[in-house]
Amino acid sequence: MTVQNYIDEFISECLLPTTGVKEVVQNKQLYSWYEQWSEHAELPTLTRNAFGRGLAKRFQRTRRQGLIYYYCKLNPKMAD
């Protein structure tokens, strides 16, 4: 499985795209969700940089006060 395959699997299971400016998630929070998911799925955890590059291929992002945010949200089925 390639790096992008791991990220794509995480995205398809856990995230939904958004378009609203108020519906963004900081990259640090996304990585935390990803770490939990990969541990639960018993898959290797990618580095923050590799994860960020993979997310950038799938989601629009913005920078605010030096922090990176992605236009996505946690899939409600994952919050349970």
Side-chain angles (χ1 to χ4, degrees):
M1 197 181 264
T2 68
V3 168
Q4 194 61 44
N5 291 134
Y6 288 124
I7 295 168
D8 290 344
E9 189 172 337
F10 167 72
I11 290 170
S12 68
E13 288 184 29
C14 303
L15 300 178
L16 298 172
T18 62
T19 55
V21 174
K22 293 184 179 183
E23 292 186 303
V24 294
V25 180
Q26 186 182 355
N27 63 340
K28 184 176 180 178
Q29 178 63 58
L30 285 168
Y31 189 73
S32 176
W33 291 340
Y34 165 72
E35 285 180 310
Q36 293 171 26
W37 173 85
S38 66
E39 187 175 308
H40 184 265
E42 298 180 351
L43 295 171
T45 302
L46 303 172
T47 65
R48 286 180 192 266
N49 287 339
F51 180 71
R53 284 191 301 271
L55 277 181
K57 292 179 182 178
R58 297 281 304 273
F59 292 110
Q60 181 182 359
R61 65 183 177 176
T62 187
R63 187 178 293 265
R64 296 182 192 163
Q65 297 177 343
L67 302 174
I68 297 172
Y69 294 84
Y70 289 90
Y71 287 86
C72 62
K73 64 182 178 181
L74 186 64
N75 188 329
K77 71 178 185 177
M78 299 306 295
D80 297 332

